[in-house]
Amino acid sequence: METFTEPRALVENPHYRDQRRKTLASLDDDMIDGPIVELISAFNKLPYCFTLQSCYGHFVHSGQKDPQNLAPLPLTGTIAGVEYRIAYVVFCIENSKLGRMLYDALRGIADIDPDNIQFCCAEWFWERQVNSYALQVEPDRFKLEDQAMLDYTEALKIEKIRNEFFVQLEELLKKRQGGDETV
């Protein structure tokens, strides 16, 4: 995120329900990267949050020029550099008991690997929608950017972290859907 800031405290938003309804009415599954369509859809079924934007994370290199490719990095030592386009999900969270619990759980996902996962705000999202938070996978030194040039070895590491990141989001969601709101 080019306008990364530390996460702000949740604030009151009397327009949350209407904003949620309007945002979800304009959301189309075709706008979401295939591997995370079901995950994003499931989060949007929770009444205390909705998503504003997301990206699965893309790796562009000499063997893969498509900036939207979803293919895993090849297991080869012939790639020198990889352009990584960050994986992230931007949530709008309701300032409610369940919303605050989700906020804490999302912060906990960043704790899995604080050197490469950030829970943050982005000024331009917050100006458009209060209580918006991004959870992103990006080496900390690039946290202010929406893409980074990585060497091949680091790109493999980030790919593994990205995959685990989405697994952890799925686990968090399963606990919430299963009625375990303590996580």
Side-chain angles (χ1 to χ4, degrees):
M1 301 276 158
E2 293 179 354
T3 52
F4 171 96
T5 58
E6 293 300 320
R8 297 179 179 191
L10 285 161
V11 298
E12 290 304 315
N13 179 7
H15 307 290
Y16 171 82
R17 295 279 177 214
D18 188 48
Q19 291 167 340
R20 181 179 190 282
R21 183 186 52 75
K22 286 179 182 175
T23 299
L24 294 180
S26 68
L27 184 64
D28 183 343
D29 285 353
D30 292 336
M31 303 163 74
I32 303 167
D33 289 331
I36 58 173
V37 168
E38 289 181 27
L39 176 72
I40 298 302
S41 177
F43 269 108
N44 286 330
K45 290 177 182 166
L46 298 174
Y48 47 89
C49 79
F50 59 94
T51 60
L52 295 169
Q53 200 168 347
S54 62
C55 183
Y56 181 63
H58 309 282
F59 297 91
V60 181
H61 52 85
S62 59
Q64 179 53 267
K65 302 281 187 193
D66 178 4
Q68 298 298 315
N69 87 81
L70 301 171
L73 284 165
L75 298 176
T76 178
T78 61
I79 298 171
V82 177
E83 179 184 332
Y84 170 59
R85 296 177 179 214
I86 71 170
Y88 66 91
V89 180
V90 179
F91 298 90
C92 179
I93 301 174
E94 181 182 42
N95 187 5
S96 65
K97 179 181 178 183
L98 293 175
R100 288 185 294 278
M101 291 168 75
L102 176 63
Y103 174 97
D104 291 340
L106 293 172
R107 280 189 82 113
I109 288 179
D111 292 339
I112 293 168
D113 188 338
D115 292 334
N116 294 295
I117 302 174
Q118 299 87 33
F119 180 72
C120 58
C121 287
E123 285 300 319
W124 68 279
F125 272 117
W126 193 276
E127 289 168 7
R128 183 175 116 198
Q129 179 66 63
V130 297
N131 298 337
S132 59
Y133 301 91
L135 193 56
Q136 66 183 29
V137 178
E138 178 111 65
D140 192 64
R141 69 186 183 281
F142 296 115
K143 70 183 175 188
L144 301 176
E145 307 297 327
D146 57 8
Q147 60 188 22
M149 285 304 297
L150 308 174
D151 68 38
Y152 177 73
T153 302
E154 184 176 24
L156 283 173
K157 176 182 175 185
I158 295 300
E159 181 182 48
K160 182 178 177 183
I161 293 166
R162 182 220 38 203
N163 294 345
E164 181 60 24
F165 166 79
F166 284 115
V167 166
Q168 290 302 314
L169 281 175
E170 289 171 4
E171 290 300 315
L172 182 153
L173 189 58
K174 285 178 188 172
K175 290 176 183 172
R176 296 195 155 273
Q177 291 172 328
D180 184 2
E181 299 293 351
T182 61
V183 180

